[in-house]
Amino acid sequence: MIFRQLFDSVSGTYTYLLASRKGGEALIIDPVIEKVERYIQLVNELDLKLVKAVDTHLHADHITGLGALRDRTHCITVMGEQSKADVVSMRLAEGDKLTIEGLALDVLYTPGHTDDSYSFVMHDRVFTGDTLLIRGTGRTDFQNGDARAQYESLFNKLLKLPDETMVFPAHDYKGETVSTIGEERAFNPRLQVKSIEQYVDLMNNLNLPNPKMMDVAVPANMRVGLAQEAIARRGWAIGANEAMTLVGRGDVTLVDLREKTERERHGVIPGSLHAPYGDLAANVQPGGMLHELARATGKRIVFYCAFGERSAMAVQAAQDAGITNACHIQGGIDAWKKACGPLTR
Ligand SMILES: [Fe+2]
C-alpha cells in the first residue's frame, strides 16, 4: 500500500494520499488548495492516477483543493451527504464504502465539529477529520457544531474501534503526526469526562477565537462545483424535464456514470446503460464501448450521474474523443428526482 501524510504548515492541515499499488488509482483526503501542485507532482512521481478527492467536512481554516484537483485531473470530488458545498461529484453516507482500485474505506458519519463531518476507516487506521484530534477534539461552536453529537460520534463510534487502530487527524498544531484509539481514550484530556453533560459543558466553555481564514474559507468551500454553465453554453446540456422525453426512445442511449452503491441507493433511469466514470477514458476512445456504440448506431449519448459534475466532465471527454452528439443531464439524478422522473432499482 502507498500511504503519504502531507502537511500544510499555514493551516496545520494533514492531507493523506492513498493507493493500493504503484501505477494504480489514488485517493486524497483533505487537500489544501495551495498545495495542489505538490500533490499532483507526487501523484506523478509515484506513477498514480488520482481518481477521488475527499473532504472530511467543510473546512473553515483553509480553502479546499477539491475543485482545483478536479479541474487538473478530472477526479471525482467527494463529501458527505450533509455538506453545504454547492456541487461535489459524489456524496457519501454512514455505512457506504469509499472505494478506489484495491482499497475500500468504511464511511462513518461523525458529526459534532460540523454537521457534515465524516471519518474513514481503512484496516488498521482511521482518518478522523476534526472529530478526533491528537489529545484534542474539534471545536463545536460554529458551522452547526454540536458538542452532544460529537460526544456520540466519539464515544459510540470512534472509540469503539480496536485500541490499536491508528488515528490520523486532519490537523495538528504541535507537530504530532499519529496516535491510536487506545492512546486517545487513555490520555486525551477531552475524553476523560464522566458524562455527556460534562463533555458539553467542557466544549461550550472553550471560548476560542474564530479561525483567521473562516470568512474566506467557508464561502469558498461552499462553491467548489464545476462550472456546468460552460458545458450548457455549448449546447451539451439538457434539463431533467427534457431528458424525461427521451426515455425509451430508440435513437438515444442514456449512460449512467455512477457507482453501484449510488445506483442501488438512488435508483436508475429506466433503460439506461451503466458505464462507471472510472472507465470513461477507455469507453470514449475509438474502439471503446461508447465510441463504437455512437459510431455504429448514430444514437445520441446522454450521460448522467449524481449531480451533473461527472457527466459534465464526461461530455467534454466524449466530445474531445469525437462523439459529437454527446450531452448530459444537468444536475444529474438529483435534478431528475426533483422533476419526478421515473426510476427503477
Ligand atoms: Fe474543521
Side-chain angles (χ1 to χ4, degrees):
M1 188 183 73
I2 293 170
F3 172 78
R4 291 286 185 282
Q5 183 177 33
L6 299 132
F7 187 57
D8 173 51
S9 57
V10 177
S11 61
T13 303
Y14 286 125
T15 301
Y16 301 94
L17 181 71
L18 313 173
S20 65
R21 64 174 178 95
K22 199 167 184 290
E25 292 184 350
L27 164 76
I28 197 163
I29 299 176
D30 287 331
V32 177
I33 194 163
E34 286 84 3
K35 292 285 188 285
V36 160
E37 287 308 320
R38 171 64 188 133
Y39 307 143
I40 290 175
Q41 182 192 6
L42 183 59
V43 162
N44 290 336
E45 286 166 351
L46 299 177
D47 190 25
L48 300 172
K49 178 175 165 30
L50 185 68
V51 297
K52 282 183 183 160
V54 188
D55 268 353
T56 50
H57 62 288
L58 197 114
H59 296 284
D61 57 349
H62 67 269
I63 297 177
T64 176
L66 251 59
L69 284 169
R70 178 214 44 235
D71 292 345
R72 293 286 303 278
T73 69
H74 299 146
C75 67
I76 297 176
T77 53
V78 185
M79 289 188 80
E81 65 180 1
Q82 294 81 359
S83 170
K84 308 280 187 306
D86 56 349
V87 183
V88 287
S89 306
M90 186 174 186
R91 289 178 185 261
L92 296 169
E94 170 85 15
D96 280 347
K97 297 266 189 200
L98 171 60
T99 58
I100 59 168
E101 173 209 350
L103 293 178
L105 283 66
D106 292 320
V107 176
L108 295 182
Y109 179 43
T110 51
H113 169 59
T114 63
D115 60 355
D116 67 346
S117 290
Y118 278 77
S119 300
F120 303 102
V121 182
M122 186 176 74
H123 312 305
D124 58 351
R125 62 198 67 194
V126 57
F127 303 97
T128 53
D130 289 0
T131 304
L132 177 58
L133 304 172
I134 299 173
R135 307 299 189 267
T137 57
R139 62 193 297 175
T140 55
D141 56 340
F142 59 67
Q143 287 185 286
N144 298 319
D146 181 340
R148 218 162 255 284
Q150 190 171 57
Y151 180 93
E152 299 291 342
S153 296
L154 289 163
F155 285 87
N156 293 328
K157 287 190 180 166
L158 293 173
L159 294 185
K160 295 270 158 83
L161 295 169
D163 271 3
E164 58 278 15
T165 309
M166 286 183 278
V167 173
F168 287 101
H171 289 291
D172 194 85
Y173 308 101
K174 298 195 208 85
E176 305 274 354
T177 54
V178 60
S179 180
T180 66
I181 289 292
E183 209 180 303
E184 290 311 308
R185 180 188 292 107
F187 304 115
N188 188 322
R190 300 254 176 100
L191 303 182
Q192 308 312 311
V193 292
K194 302 239 164 8
S195 66
I196 189 164
E197 274 68 33
Q198 204 185 340
Y199 186 75
V200 171
D201 198 47
L202 173 70
M203 294 307 287
N204 288 349
N205 289 293
L206 294 176
N207 301 318
L208 299 166
N210 280 345
K212 286 195 257 351
M213 283 282 287
M214 184 163 159
D215 295 337
V216 177
V218 170
N221 290 340
M222 286 167 77
R223 287 192 306 271
V224 294
L226 176 81
Q228 293 185 31
E229 301 76 35
I231 296 289
R233 270 198 301 276
R234 305 178 85 160
W236 296 343
I238 57 175
N241 284 305
E242 186 185 348
M244 266 188 255
T245 67
L246 303 178
V247 173
R249 269 181 43 178
D251 57 346
V252 170
T253 300
L254 285 147
V255 177
D256 185 358
L257 296 163
R258 295 170 303 157
E259 297 182 5
K260 189 165 161 275
T261 51
E262 298 176 276
R263 286 161 57 86
E264 285 165 1
R265 171 165 305 151
H266 298 286
V268 174
I269 298 178
S272 55
L273 188 71
H274 185 209
Y277 182 76
D279 302 333
L280 180 77
N283 282 338
V284 297
Q285 290 314 308
M289 185 214 356
L290 296 175
H291 196 99
E292 293 312 305
L293 178 80
R295 195 181 58 83
T297 65
K299 284 188 184 188
R300 185 180 188 192
I301 304 279
V302 181
F303 290 107
Y304 72 94
C305 60
F307 302 98
E309 187 161 297
R310 273 168 282 181
S311 58
M313 293 192 285
V315 172
Q316 187 67 59
Q319 292 279 351
D320 291 347
I323 306 176
T324 54
N325 63 358
C327 66
H328 83 127
I329 303 179
Q330 193 151 1
I333 281 288
D334 187 52
W336 181 266
K337 277 186 176 171
K338 285 175 184 145
C340 300
L343 291 164
T344 56
R345 296 271 159 184

